Amino acid sequence: MTSAPALAPPPRPEVWPGRSYPLGATYDGAGTNFALFSEVAERVELCLFDADGAETRITPPEVDAYVWHAYVPTIGPGQRYGYRVHGPYEPHTGHRCNPNKLLLDPYSKAIDGTFAWNQSLFGYAFGDPDSRNDDDSAASMPKAVVINPYFDWGNDRPPKHQYADTVIYEAHVKGLTRTHPGIPEHLRGTYAGVAHPAMIEHLTSIGITAIELMPVHHFANDSNLIDKGLSNYWGYHTISFFAPDPKYSSAPSAGGQVQEFKAMVRSLHEAGIEVILDVVYNHTAEGNHLGPTLSMRGIDNAAYYRLVDDDKRYYLDHTGTGNSLNVGHPHSLQLIMDSLRYWVTELHIDGFRFDLAATLAREFYEVDRLATFFELVQQDPTVSQVKLIAEPWDVGPGGYQVGNFPPQWTEWNGKYRDTVRDFWRGEPATLDEFAYRLSGSADLYESTSRRPVASINFVTAHDGFTLRDLVSYNDKHNEANGEDNNDGESHNRSWNCGAEGPTDDPGVTELRGRQQRNFLTTLLVSQGVPMICHGDELGRTQNGNNNGYCQDNELTWINWANADTGLLEFTRAVAALRANHPVFRRRRFFSGKPVGRRDEHGLPDIAWFAPDGSEMTEEDWGARFAKSVAVFLNGQGIPDRDLRGQQVLDDSFFLCFNAHHEPIEFTLPPATFGSGWRTAVYTGAGQLTPAQAKEVPAAARLSIDARSVVVLQAVAVIGIADQ
């Protein structure tokens, strides 16, 4: 009996020198150029994998300025590849090269496969972090994929909405679409699902102009979560800054997620909706010194990560995830900037929300608003022209930086969230700060020549309670996360309205609905840029779980079948009011000074009133017990001009906020402010009194229900137009 002949190895492809730029794998129609940076490498191997997993290794013939490069004719889209880097394995000096570890290209445009978590992915033997583990990891690693860069964008144009006209909707690709009955089953949970007409109709119906997608950069599922039967649902565990994650793709072929993502952007743009990405450039999925070797750690650890100066085995961690990207190194900065430009130029993205953005300002230790990263962004002709939103904090010392980012940046305004929550749950001494937040947070942004739109206003976001849970729970209920309810924020500034969780009490249920309407109204009439968390307009609940990062299931997905249609209709109405009236979308801060004729008849652009109709005094603002206030917004005192240079004019409005637990009688301003008023929004349980409060005269008295808002629109105004 003779043995079967050995299979012949695949023929080695022809290899040319290629170019050192651009980095990554670049297909030109005839072949693919590969380029990889590593300053520490002694030798690099490009590893090509066929459909059966057989590996062919190629040594790039050229290296220029620490960039190893090769051009391989005939290699095209769909080719799977990775790298092996030969060099020092000296953790104490910060180097962790090991050619037995297959490494993902940091510039991968697409990734195929998943991580099979086992010992081979780690550079050390379990139990001995100072050892070296030479198990080959190729079989357990996903592979980078060469993509087809060509796509028919048609007549695609970025909507380029002004910040003042922007309403942002923070959403998770899967959570938003997974149960929507109007989306075909095979498209639910995918980029194509987000682009489906049923979803676009919903977004436009509530006035959304920009959807902010939670991380879609390819991310790794944590092995410890997989062991618990959970997964990294949120996606803040990035392993590639260029590749859309295929977990959200309906495309059957490797690399098809890129085409599907582009098609999603094109469809959203056709509907006038911008696409903003939540990006995680502050750390990667490789974690701390006990983490796996998947990509940058094995390519050039000391260049890509911030290490502890006196013991480079360890990583500086300003993110709470184990490592921080080394933004003080030019190639790390290049990686970030190349990624941002790629998403804008090749995938037509309209903006970015930077997770833990304070980390990007830590060139050395302290947060520095003049850090090199921000200088590069400001000077870049592409990146500087899209929307730039900072999450203005990290977990390091001095990391809370609300109000301190450079002028062209906007910020998630955490002070807005906290103040509005405190006001509506009845906390004392919140009135003066509530007025600042409602009017655009001039105390945070005006001194640096920024505008109200620097403030991204939000009450809820992915991290924390949903809006419905904010008014239904005093305490977090995260038992499903498997951490004994120790994870997640314990101080939520929430109020359950009298019962913890689900209840049949009609009084509690009605109050919770009213509080949700109060929050949505406050958000949409505040100066700045409102951001709605997906499903809040539908009454979405996570059953009190305020840290759903690991729950990829019905707990975190929107339950479209159980949507609160009344709340949805209310949201649509208030969003339309904002869209139709520029007085709620001012581009400049209020001055409080008279506008129009400079005499006793000139009305201020904003005026604050106590419930009795008198203008607010310092004593009123400082009263700890005060929980009610009214504000006049002068629609003819807007200092903005339209694209043709014409002054923007609008109706005037009078807003009454009553966070007290009892009804409050408000006296409307005299006839000089408006001869009559009609109700535009009312969040209360019953009708305004008197019964004909749909339209009331100047100086009338209105009893405003406990914990409610009324927005009154002027019937006629004495202002610029009448003088």
Side-chain angles (χ1 to χ4, degrees), residues 351 367 689:
V367 176
T689 54

Side-chain angles (χ1 to χ4, degrees), residues 34 44-50 54-60 79-86 99 101-103 136 138 143-144:
F34 295 89
V44 166
E45 291 178 303
L46 168 65
C47 306
L48 305 177
F49 293 86
D50 66 16
E55 178 181 355
T56 300
R57 300 185 188 184
I58 296 171
T59 298
Q79 174 66 56
R80 295 165 175 83
Y81 74 98
Y83 287 102
R84 297 180 186 272
V85 175
H86 299 254
K101 308 305 172 186
L102 185 75
L103 305 172
D136 193 290
K143 311 300 187 291

Side-chain angles (χ1 to χ4, degrees), residues 569-637:
E569 289 304 317
F570 179 86
T571 305
R572 287 170 173 164
V574 183
L577 181 74
R578 179 184 181 87
N580 292 332
H581 292 284
V583 74
F584 300 116
R585 300 180 280 108
R586 290 169 54 105
R587 291 168 170 78
R588 291 171 175 80
F589 288 108
F590 294 102
S591 69
K593 298 177 182 178
V595 295
R597 269 177 37 184
R598 297 180 179 275
D599 59 19
E600 68 276 9
H601 298 298
L603 296 176
D605 56 2
I606 188 171
W608 298 90
F609 295 87
D612 64 4
S614 63
E615 292 201 37
M616 292 287 287
T617 65
E618 290 295 328
E619 184 178 354
D620 293 331
W621 287 119
R624 287 182 55 82
F625 60 85
K627 298 176 183 177
S628 304
V629 69
V631 58
F632 167 75
L633 303 180
N634 187 347
Q636 299 194 357

Side-chain angles (χ1 to χ4, degrees), residues 638-655:
I638 303 173
D640 304 332
R641 296 187 179 275
D642 62 23
L643 295 176
R644 294 168 300 193
Q646 301 297 312
Q647 183 177 3
V648 175
L649 298 176
D650 193 11
D651 296 331
S652 293
F653 286 83
F654 192 72
L655 289 67

Side-chain angles (χ1 to χ4, degrees), residues 452-469:
V453 295
S455 178
I456 305 297
N457 299 328
F458 68 106
V459 176
T460 59
H462 67 274
D463 187 2
F465 281 144
T466 68
L467 184 60
R468 180 174 169 181
D469 289 356

Side-chain angles (χ1 to χ4, degrees), residues 453-489:
V453 295
S455 178
I456 305 297
N457 299 328
F458 68 106
V459 176
T460 59
H462 67 274
D463 187 2
F465 281 144
T466 68
L467 184 60
R468 180 174 169 181
D469 289 356
L470 186 68
V471 302
S472 304
Y473 295 90
N474 285 348
D475 303 304
K476 63 184 179 181
H477 296 269
N478 299 354
E479 290 80 7
N481 295 355
E483 299 180 40
D484 297 324
N485 206 35
N486 291 318
D487 61 305
E489 176 61 58

